[in-house]
Amino acid sequence: HVQLVESGGGAVQAGGSLRLSCTISGVTFDDADMGWYRQAPGSECEMVSAINSDGSTTYADSVKGRFAMSTDNTKKLMRLRMNALQAEDTAMYYCAAKYPCPRGTTAQMYVAWYDYWGQGTQVTVS
């Protein structure tokens, strides 16, 4: 049974930082593509970042250089470190997984690629 649970959202002033976490169960990390996406009110979902099974990452241009994604296989965690936050980053953030996924595939930067996602955690930047 695959389950993803996000935490770490909150309210922060522009220029501040937050670290989101996603606890994942039912997934073998080596056989999964994972990522983060966000959705602001009235807007479409936007992929923020994706990580391949080899640990390489991809970021949306809007967050490149400010956000950093990582995974911890031992703790079954996926994290998103967000620095220099801007009002435009305000959204509900979701972690997502495609599982099982053949090894060697490239994690895609569109939400429909993923099979599972969490309930979301709100990030508000003022």
Side-chain angles (χ1 to χ4, degrees), residues 11-91:
V12 65
Q13 291 187 338
S17 298
L18 282 174
R19 189 180 75 171
L20 306 184
S21 295
C22 176
T23 302
I24 304 172
S25 57
V27 169
T28 302
F29 277 35
D30 287 344
D31 297 321
D33 286 345
M34 291 177 280
W36 290 91
Y37 70 94
R38 65 187 181 186
Q39 186 171 27
S43 299
E44 296 184 355
C45 293
E46 176 192 20
M47 282 300 298
V48 172
S49 63
I51 190 165
N52 299 311
S53 57
D54 65 358
S56 58
T57 51
T58 304
Y59 297 95
D61 288 343
S62 58
V63 306
K64 200 170 294 183
R66 300 188 296 122
F67 288 15
M69 177 179 179
S70 63
T71 58
D72 185 330
N73 199 351
T74 302
K75 297 181 179 178
K76 298 298 185 184
L77 282 176
M78 180 166 62
R79 294 189 175 97
L80 184 68
R81 178 69 180 179
M82 306 185 294
N83 296 324
L85 284 162
Q86 305 165 357
E88 296 75 27
D89 297 317
T90 295

